[in-house]
Structure formats: structure tokens, C-alpha cells
Amino acid sequence: MSPHTTSSPQSLDVMSPDRTHWLELPAHRSSVGVARRSLSVWLTAWQLPAELCADAVLLLSELATNAVRHTLSTRFLCGFGLVTDACLRIEVHDHDHLSRGVPRCGEPELDDEGGRGLLLVEGLADTWGVDRSRLTGGHAVWATLTA
């Protein structure tokens, strides 16, 4: 399966700073929780619906976990922001500029303990995709949610 989008909407690095937030974190499992908590604080401040907030935190968790587990990066960059008052964009950029592979949905077996992260992203997000990051040189995996 591939990202279900035809074009990449406006990336966060060109959006208004009062509607975006960025974190650079070490590529450790504990950083995923830091990213989730930071996103939760901003979503509360932006007064977005509870269901969208829960989905957004789960999406960020999956994208950040993939950056930690499946890249050679020692750090990763998380961004989230309001594209419109009702549309949230989440991005995770790795620093793995040597990687030739593109993150994509797997086809896990029933007994597999992993391999479902991007399937979950595909199911929750309105759109999602993978681009080469202009900020890190690695991959930027992004997702949008609309209230």
C-alpha cells in the first residue's frame, strides 16, 4: 500500500509560527512520549475536538516510533500545526539521508507483533505521505486530520 494522497499539502516549515510547533528530540523510545505530551498541550490550547486530539496523538506516536525504530537517525524532528482552523498537519522528519527506501505500509502476519503502524496511519489520517525532508535531508512522513 502507498500513501493515499495525490499531492503534499503545504508543509509546516512555511506556515505561520503561531499555528505551528516544532520539537527536535533524540531518537530514543522515551522521546515518543515527550512528543505526544507536547502535542496534547498544543491541541488543548488550539481547542480542537477530543476525537481529533486522540487520533492526532496516536498518529504522532506511530510516526515518531517509526523514526526511532526504522532509521539510522540519532535525532528526529516533529512538527504539528493548523493548516486551517479545522485541519491539523503532523510531520516527523528523520535525519537518515543515506536511506534509499521509502516508508510504506507493511503486510504483517496475524501473529506479528509489529508492522501495523503505517496501516494505522492510513486508516486514521485524511491524507498522509512521504517526502524528502527539506529540513533534515532524510524522510518527512506527514499526515493530516480534519475536524
Side-chain angles (χ1 to χ4, degrees):
M1 287 183 218
S2 62
H4 59 94
T5 184
T6 55
S7 64
S8 174
Q10 181 181 19
S11 66
L12 292 177
D13 63 328
V14 296
M15 290 176 53
S16 172
D18 62 328
R19 294 173 64 95
T20 60
H21 182 69
W22 288 96
L23 292 146
E24 186 169 37
L25 298 165
H28 297 284
R29 289 185 330 195
S30 60
S31 296
V32 176
V34 172
R36 281 194 311 258
R37 287 186 294 278
S38 179
L39 176 59
S40 292
V41 167
W42 282 91
L43 294 173
T44 300
W46 289 330
Q47 300 178 354
L48 294 173
E51 185 176 332
L52 183 138
C53 294
D55 289 347
V57 170
L58 183 54
L59 284 174
L60 177 62
S61 184
E62 292 299 331
L63 298 180
T65 297
N66 284 349
V68 170
R69 293 188 66 204
H70 302 295
T71 73
L72 299 175
S73 298
T74 57
R75 302 188 67 73
F76 66 97
L77 185 63
C78 291
F80 33 88
L82 294 173
V83 178
T84 68
D85 288 339
C87 182
L88 178 72
R89 181 175 168 108
I90 298 168
E91 298 181 10
V92 174
H93 300 244
D94 64 49
H95 290 265
D96 192 358
H97 62 278
L98 299 176
S99 174
R100 300 273 187 242
V102 174
R104 60 191 136 133
C105 291
E107 296 180 17
E109 298 292 325
L110 238 52
D111 294 338
D112 290 348
E113 291 183 16
R116 292 174 180 81
L118 289 178
L119 290 171
L120 185 60
V121 170
E122 186 170 81
L124 289 174
D126 294 326
T127 59
W128 75 281
V130 181
D131 297 314
R132 184 55 67 181
S133 172
R134 295 188 308 247
L135 303 174
T136 66
H139 290 106
V141 185
W142 56 269
T144 61
L145 288 169
T146 306

